[in-house]
């Protein structure tokens, strides 16, 4: 790899003075899809939150380089403007702002340019059709009254519309039925095909990955990456689980 889009260099991360990640390194290039897997409590979500600058987490050591720039100290909104995106494991309700308005405002903040309404609504409609979302959801308050599946579709809709250069998808498939997983996976596949963005998909399942091209797979156990492989590692985990990795890793971690 030449100059990676994201270069995580030996980071250790703590929350409430308890270290969760230990000496984690990761490089992700433009257009690559990386999968981060591991048992519950391994620290997968901690890594995603740390990358996006969640102030609850503290960087004890190491560096996070994004787009050739050290982003330690940057707030989450600046990281988003830089081109980073996080799909939440449990998307929150945001009363008072519609899904459409939220995405349009976010896009304007992301690009610094005026978003033309007609083209935006045309693109939004096409993306919602791809995700089998009822168009009425565009005018509803963000996630208010949405089912779990519709909230996850809303997250992928934002991914497609905001077109970030790097996206972390945190347990996007959790709590979804088979049909919803297929639909969400279709949206992620569309992002892969039409955009030069990079993905870090955090999951402990493999269903969402079945139709996606995976370049690298990382296994996180007790806050430490214990194995890295290609897409074939996903199938190995699907067949044998995480038991072979549970004797490795650092001290107890958290999600």
């Amino acid at each position: 790899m030449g100059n990676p889009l994201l270069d995580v260099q030996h980071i250790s991360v703590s929350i409430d003075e308890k270290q969760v990640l230990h000496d984690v390194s990761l490089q992700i290039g433009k257009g690559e899809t990386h999968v981060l897997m591991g048992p519950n409590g391994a620290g997968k979500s901690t890594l995603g939150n740390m990358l996006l600058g969640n102030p609850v987490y503290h960087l004890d050591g190491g560096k996070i380089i994004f787009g050739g720039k050290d982003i330690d100290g940057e707030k989450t909104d600046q990281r988003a403007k830089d081109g980073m995106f996080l799909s939440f494991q449990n998307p929150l309700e945001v009363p008072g702002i519609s899904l459409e308005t939220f995405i349009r405002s976010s896009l304007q903040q992301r690009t610094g340019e005026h978003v033309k309404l007609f083209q935006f609504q045309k693109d939004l409609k096409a993306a919602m059709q791809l995700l089998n979302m009822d168009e009425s959801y565009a005018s509803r308050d963000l996630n208010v009254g949405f089912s779990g599946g519709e909230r996850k579709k809303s997250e992928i809709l934002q991914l497609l519309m905001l077109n970030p250069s790097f996206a972390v998808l945190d347990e996007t498939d959790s709590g979804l039925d088979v049909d919803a997983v297929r639909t969400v996976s279709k949206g992620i596949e569309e992002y892969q095909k039409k955009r030069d963005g990079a993905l870090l998909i955090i999951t402990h399942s493999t269903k969402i990955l079945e139709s996606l091209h995976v370049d690298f797979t990382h296994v996180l156990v007790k806050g430490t990456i214990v194995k890295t492989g290609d897409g074939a590692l996903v199938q190995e985990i699907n067949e044998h689980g995480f038991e072979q990795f549970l004797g490795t890793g650092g001290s107890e971690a958290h999600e």
Side-chain angles (χ1 to χ4, degrees):
M1 184 185 298
N3 294 320
L5 176 64
L6 176 72
D7 188 4
V8 177
Q9 303 177 358
H10 304 285
I11 67 168
S12 295
V13 178
S14 62
I15 178 172
D16 296 331
E17 299 184 353
K18 183 171 185 178
Q19 195 166 92
V20 179
L21 297 180
H22 320 284
D23 194 29
V24 171
S25 294
L26 184 68
Q27 290 187 331
I28 300 179
K30 291 182 178 179
E32 291 181 349
T33 295
H34 290 235
V35 173
L36 183 67
M37 304 189 74
N40 289 333
K44 303 185 299 294
S45 295
T46 294
L47 178 58
N49 278 279
M50 187 71 249
L51 293 178
L52 269 291
N54 186 329
V56 172
Y57 299 89
H58 181 263
L59 185 64
D60 297 327
K63 291 183 179 181
I64 301 173
I65 309 296
F66 182 69
K69 178 175 63 171
D70 188 341
I71 60 172
D72 183 29
E74 278 194 357
K75 293 183 178 180
T76 300
D77 61 338
Q78 183 57 53
R79 297 187 193 202
K81 290 176 182 178
D82 290 341
M84 303 182 85
F85 175 92
L86 173 63
S87 172
F88 292 101
Q89 185 174 346
N90 297 300
L92 298 176
E93 294 186 354
V94 185
I97 183 170
S98 69
L99 173 59
E100 177 179 349
T101 301
F102 176 79
I103 295 176
R104 189 178 180 213
S105 176
S106 298
L107 188 57
Q108 289 182 164
Q109 290 292 322
R110 160 92 172 84
T111 63
E113 300 175 357
H114 174 70
V115 176
K116 295 181 179 179
L117 182 59
F118 177 78
Q119 187 62 50
F120 170 80
Q121 290 181 330
K122 181 180 178 181
D123 294 341
L124 183 67
K125 181 178 180 179
M128 294 186 78
Q129 288 177 342
L130 177 73
L131 296 170
N132 293 325
M133 288 187 73
D134 190 307
E135 292 178 30
S136 66
Y137 279 84
S139 59
R140 291 176 57 176
D141 285 2
L142 179 61
N143 294 329
V144 175
F146 287 23
S147 68
E150 294 299 339
R151 291 189 187 200
K152 297 300 180 72
K153 289 181 183 180
S154 169
E155 296 284 291
I156 301 304
L157 179 66
Q158 293 167 48
L159 170 70
L160 294 174
M161 293 298 295
L162 295 177
N163 190 24
S165 53
F166 171 66
V168 179
L169 307 183
D170 185 10
E171 301 283 3
T172 302
D173 53 345
S174 66
L176 300 184
D177 60 29
V178 174
D179 290 336
V181 168
R182 287 200 191 102
T183 300
V184 167
S185 182
K186 186 178 179 181
I188 299 170
E189 187 178 13
E190 183 72 11
Y191 175 81
Q192 284 183 318
K193 287 191 300 184
K194 293 191 175 182
R195 294 155 175 83
D196 193 29
L199 282 168
L200 177 61
I201 302 176
I202 298 173
T203 184
H204 59 260
S205 175
T206 60
K207 292 295 183 183
I208 199 170
L209 306 174
E210 290 179 354
S211 64
L212 301 177
H213 171 74
V214 174
D215 296 293
F216 295 95
T217 304
H218 312 276
V219 179
L220 190 73
V221 174
K222 299 177 182 177
T224 301
I225 292 179
V226 298
K227 187 174 180 65
T228 293
D230 57 17
L233 183 55
V234 172
Q235 184 59 33
E236 180 183 333
I237 293 170
N238 193 37
E239 293 177 358
H240 304 291
F242 296 112
E243 289 186 10
Q244 59 187 309
F245 308 112
L246 295 183
T248 57
S251 59
E252 183 182 358
H254 296 281
E255 277 300 292

